[in-house]
Amino acid sequence: MASRPTIADIAKRVGVSPGAVSFALNGRPGVSEATRARILEVAREMNWRPHRAARALGGSQAGAVGLVLARDPRTLGSEHFYTQILYGMQEALSARSIAVQMQLVRDTSAEIALYRDWASEHRVDGLVLVDQQVSDPRLDVVRELAIPAVTLGLPAVADQLPSVWVDDHEAMTTIVDYLAALDHRRIAHVAGPPLYQHTARRMQALREHGSSRGLSSESLPTDFSDAQGAAATRALLSRPAPPTAIVYDSDVMAAAGLGVALEMGVPVPQDLSIVSFDDSVLARIVHPALTCLSRNTYELGAQVAESLLEVIADPASRRSVRTETPRLVVRGSTTRPAR
Amino acid sequence: MASRPTIADIAKRVGVSPGAVSFALNGRPGVSEATRARILEVAREMNWRPHRAARALGGSQAGAVGLVLARDPRTLGSEHFYTQILYGMQEALSARSIAVQMQLVRDTSAEIALYRDWASEHRVDGLVLVDQQVSDPRLDVVRELAIPAVTLGLPAVADQLPSVWVDDHEAMTTIVDYLAALDHRRIAHVAGPPLYQHTARRMQALREHGSSRGLSSESLPTDFSDAQGAAATRALLSRPAPPTAIVYDSDVMAAAGLGVALEMGVPVPQDLSIVSFDDSVLARIVHPALTCLSRNTYELGAQVAESLLEVIADPASRRSVRTETPRLVVRGSTTRPAR
DNA sequence: TCCCCCAACTACACCGGTTTAGTCGCGAAC
DNA sequence: GTTCGCGACTAAACCGGTGTAGTTGGGGGA
């Protein structure tokens, strides 16, 4: 009884046909301005809202976009980053009452299966692909399914999808320059899995830029867990000539590394400088607080949403957006190395 | 062209009517077993999947449930907890191909507005209400909208919604008993906002149980931020007779408090024991690692999902589920107080 | 043998929008 | 004065399922 008003209810009340109401509500020609105004007023008065399913059925807009995180969620350490991204996206999309469908899955194959499900159920109008891989099996699937998508990461060279990207090369360069200016000569990098494009890119940047500046440098890959971050740190600090600075691919690993250093009696920052690629509450509350690259993740999410809307509107669009390089926030974990 | 097969396609191929196919696919009487088998086989062969919107339009199942987090997302510290909850829910629901629609909003009024939107757009079949408040304005709205819902928190006494709950009273009792057994006599509690029911409950438990054991105890409310957690810690440790143990309502505040203690030259755990109500990576990687209450958050999420399905199936259901009390995980941040 | 009943199906309306193919009326052009 | 054109609107099909009211055929009971 008290069920939501439909377009037919509005039509009856205004005295026009349902079709006319649809025209009016969607701002398309076919009704006079006077009638349109009447209809809009009545719709507002009756508190009308489109029935999503009905729209999705007729047209083809599901009114939702999808974001899948493929990680072992029990050990996820990047919640903060993706929470911010999600929030940025939602703020940008809620005005158009588009929902963001976020789902956590175990691995990439589950992610791909989910894309197929979503496609066949018409659940989403577009996808955001995060954690881009060097050789990414998702790209083929997305193309096959013909769902509009953007990547958050480097532009996929071979297989063009529009992307919103941060220049990880330049980011690493910024860090290396900063550390070199402080007179650090032996820099280590506790990286993520080289499977990920951003990790690969950072490793490459360190190798190239480090050697061009005459530094000794090295990247140790990990699985992003605090355990492996700690282990890598322990290995590095046990060497005869340990690095004077370690750059970590994530805040969790950096904090874990800091713990190892303190435990091993290596004072931070005096004997070891620590830099993290991620900023977060965690980076702020450990002692000393971590020097890190910081970016406006919220903005990044909003940008992703905008780009995705563009691709949905025009599936042929291939416009990639480069976002500003993260800036270095210096905190207590870095200083000149003691001689 | 290569568009998804519909029920009509299957019907044509099998040589029956679309209605019969619908019966067969939904396991309801009206077709013979032989025909049903044929239909199921052809459906699988053609890789048929129901069109969500079509189902939602006819019946009334949107195939999604909603979860809203109302916090200032820029300072969110509980990502880990809710990520786990979300994952647990998704695992439990994906088998029935029900999606979890999670959204972050700024505050409770935005949360309520979102519920109204979702209701009028028929986006969700049910809601999970988290961060239950002492006097919760959401309860009336949910009842008014007549959406099946469960709360994650204490059972709402006045206004019965089924809930999945953890006994915060007993949790606090566990901590107090543990600290008392170690001979702590002055215990402080850095709490969240007393607006939240679980915080209020913990404060009450500490007051009652502490005094019954002859302890001096006190709760300081905060906004859950690391800044206020740090400030409260500073205030407590500056007193003439500072507490020998502090219990924090969140891992972020506990870690921030730990930082303050070390900075003020108060050795942890010798002069100050620290206990956190939340477990997480953070609690593990700081030094010393934090003693905390730990619970299977993933299970909790799954349980929430089950309960919600129950209410959706039978909106009159009022069954609340009490989950097991979190267990205390002792790490390096607690010990007997130095005399 | 006839009738009734029931299982097994079909036909069709329906959900709430969108969209296309008209219809109508009126002013301008010839 | 008839015709053309166009703006404003209506009727009806359609999207892909679900649910209900028939319809049919065959077996069992009287």
Side-chain angles (χ1 to χ4, degrees):
Chain A
M1 302 302 116
S3 115
R4 305 287 139 200
T6 71
I7 259 192
D9 298 329
I10 299 175
K12 205 171 298 172
R13 189 127 146 221
V14 177
V16 293
S17 71
V21 175
S22 177
F23 291 148
L25 292 170
N26 292 297
R28 65 185 64 207
V31 282
S32 66
E33 278 315 311
T35 311
R36 182 189 306 275
R38 286 259 309 128
I39 290 173
L40 290 178
E41 194 196 319
V42 171
R44 204 163 38 79
E45 199 173 291
M46 298 179 79
N47 197 25
W48 176 86
R49 285 313 210 71
H51 190 305
R52 270 285 149 202
R55 265 204 178 148
L57 189 53
S60 62
Q61 296 289 56
V65 300
L67 170 64
V68 179
L69 295 186
R71 305 275 183 101
D72 180 345
R74 290 166 209 242
T75 61
L76 205 63
S78 40
E79 290 98 340
H80 187 76
F81 179 77
Y82 286 110
T83 302
Q84 298 282 95
I85 293 285
L86 182 63
Y87 185 57
M89 289 183 62
Q90 287 178 341
E91 290 276 292
L93 293 173
S94 64
R96 296 163 166 93
S97 77
I98 294 176
V100 181
Q101 182 65 56
M102 178 173 108
Q103 189 141 352
L104 305 167
V105 299
R106 204 169 299 277
D107 53 36
T108 303
S109 70
E111 178 178 352
I112 287 176
L114 190 53
Y115 289 155
R116 292 191 186 280
D117 285 358
W118 280 353
S120 50
E121 295 189 355
H122 293 85
R123 260 196 203 271
V124 295
D125 301 320
L127 295 174
V128 178
L129 270 53
V130 299
D131 292 331
Q132 206 180 338
Q133 298 169 27
V134 172
S135 166
D136 204 316
R138 300 174 299 177
L139 297 178
D140 283 338
V141 177
V142 166
R143 201 182 26 189
E144 173 201 334
L145 295 172
I147 303 183
V150 303
T151 61
L152 175 53
L154 285 175
V157 221
D159 200 320
Q160 285 292 32
L161 277 186
S163 81
V164 175
W165 60 292
V166 179
D167 190 341
D168 278 289
H169 198 284
E170 196 175 316
M172 180 56 103
T173 303
T174 305
I175 294 177
V176 169
D177 285 346
Y178 164 72
L179 291 173
L182 287 178
D183 267 346
H184 286 276
R185 310 303 310 273
R186 290 192 306 282
I187 300 178
H189 172 211
V190 174
L195 161 77
Y196 292 119
Q197 204 161 71
H198 67 269
T199 290
R201 186 96 166 150
R202 289 173 189 176
M203 289 173 65
Q204 181 199 7
L206 175 62
R207 203 162 47 237
E208 290 174 8
H209 197 66
S211 78
S212 85
R213 301 206 60 160
L215 306 173
S216 129
S217 73
E218 181 184 4
S219 291
L220 274 70
T222 70
D223 64 356
F224 265 131
S225 70
D226 59 309
Q228 291 203 8
T233 307
R234 203 178 306 276
L236 286 166
L237 295 182
S238 304
R239 294 188 177 170
T244 59
I246 305 183
V247 182
Y248 292 86
D249 260 10
S250 80
D251 54 345
V252 168
M253 291 199 297
L258 171 62
V260 168
L262 298 181
E263 196 184 297
M264 291 176 73
V266 177
V268 175
Q270 292 77 20
D271 284 9
L272 177 69
S273 285
I274 288 180
V275 179
S276 161
F277 256 94
D278 284 340
D279 195 5
S280 72
V281 178
L282 176 55
R284 286 205 319 271
I285 62 181
V286 293
H287 283 264
L290 303 176
T291 292
C292 58
L293 284 181
S294 186
R295 49 186 159 173
N296 192 333
T297 326
Y298 170 84
E299 270 307 329
L300 196 57
Q303 181 56 251
V304 166
E306 292 301 337
S307 292
L308 186 51
L309 285 176
E310 238 175 67
V311 195
I312 291 174
D314 169 22
S317 160
R318 285 287 171 275
R319 200 170 72 84
S320 284
V321 178
R322 173 178 172 167
T323 62
E324 89 190 293
T325 302
R327 69 180 198 295
L328 191 72
V329 176
V330 176
R331 299 207 182 93
S333 69
T334 48
T335 190
R336 307 186 84 81
R339 272 298 129 148
Chain B
M1 316 298 123
S3 122
R4 305 286 139 200
T6 72
I7 259 191
D9 298 329
I10 299 176
K12 205 171 298 172
R13 194 132 138 218
V14 177
V16 293
S17 71
V21 176
S22 177
F23 291 149
L25 292 170
N26 293 297
R28 68 182 66 207
V31 283
S32 66
E33 278 315 311
T35 312
R36 182 189 306 275
R38 287 256 310 126
I39 290 173
L40 289 178
E41 195 197 316
V42 171
R44 204 162 39 78
E45 199 173 291
M46 298 178 80
N47 197 25
W48 176 87
R49 285 313 210 72
H51 191 303
R52 269 285 151 201
R55 269 204 175 148
L57 189 53
S60 61
Q61 296 290 55
V65 299
L67 170 65
V68 179
L69 295 185
R71 304 276 181 101
D72 180 346
R74 290 168 210 240
T75 60
L76 206 62
S78 41
E79 289 98 338
H80 186 75
F81 179 77
Y82 286 111
T83 302
Q84 299 282 94
I85 293 286
L86 182 64
Y87 185 58
M89 288 182 63
Q90 288 178 340
E91 290 275 293
L93 293 172
S94 63
R96 295 165 167 92
S97 76
I98 294 176
V100 181
Q101 183 63 57
M102 177 173 109
Q103 188 140 354
L104 305 167
V105 299
R106 204 170 301 276
D107 52 36
T108 303
S109 70
E111 179 178 354
I112 287 176
L114 190 53
Y115 289 153
R116 292 191 185 281
D117 284 0
W118 279 353
S120 51
E121 295 189 354
H122 293 85
R123 258 194 204 272
V124 294
D125 301 320
L127 295 174
V128 177
L129 270 55
V130 298
D131 292 331
Q132 206 180 336
Q133 297 169 26
V134 172
S135 166
D136 203 315
R138 300 172 300 176
L139 297 179
D140 283 339
V141 177
V142 166
R143 202 181 26 186
E144 172 201 334
L145 296 173
I147 303 183
V150 302
T151 60
L152 176 52
L154 285 175
V157 221
D159 200 321
Q160 285 291 33
L161 276 185
S163 82
V164 175
W165 60 292
V166 179
D167 190 341
D168 278 289
H169 196 286
E170 195 175 317
M172 179 57 102
T173 302
T174 305
I175 294 177
V176 169
D177 285 345
Y178 165 71
L179 291 174
L182 287 177
D183 268 346
H184 287 275
R185 310 303 311 271
R186 290 191 306 282
I187 301 178
H189 172 212
V190 175
L195 162 76
Y196 291 119
Q197 206 161 70
H198 66 270
T199 291
R201 186 97 167 147
R202 290 172 189 177
M203 288 172 65
Q204 181 199 5
L206 175 60
R207 202 163 47 238
E208 289 174 10
H209 197 66
S211 78
S212 85
R213 301 208 58 159
L215 307 172
S216 127
S217 73
E218 181 184 5
S219 291
L220 274 72
T222 69
D223 64 356
F224 267 130
S225 70
D226 58 308
Q228 291 203 7
T233 306
R234 204 178 306 277
L236 286 167
L237 294 182
S238 304
R239 295 193 176 166
T244 58
I246 305 182
V247 182
Y248 292 86
D249 260 9
S250 80
D251 55 345
V252 169
M253 291 199 297
L258 171 63
V260 168
L262 298 180
E263 196 184 299
M264 290 175 74
V266 176
V268 175
Q270 293 77 21
D271 284 9
L272 178 70
S273 285
I274 288 181
V275 180
S276 161
F277 256 94
D278 285 340
D279 195 5
S280 71
V281 178
L282 177 54
R284 285 204 319 270
I285 62 180
V286 293
H287 283 266
L290 303 176
T291 292
C292 58
L293 285 182
S294 185
R295 49 187 159 174
N296 192 332
T297 327
Y298 170 84
E299 272 305 331
L300 196 58
Q303 180 57 250
V304 167
E306 293 301 337
S307 293
L308 186 50
L309 286 177
E310 237 175 70
V311 195
I312 290 173
D314 170 21
S317 160
R318 287 285 171 277
R319 200 169 72 84
S320 284
V321 178
R322 174 178 172 168
T323 63
E324 85 190 299
T325 302
R327 69 180 198 295
L328 192 71
V329 176
V330 176
R331 299 206 183 94
S333 69
T334 48
T335 191
R336 308 185 82 81
R339 271 297 130 148

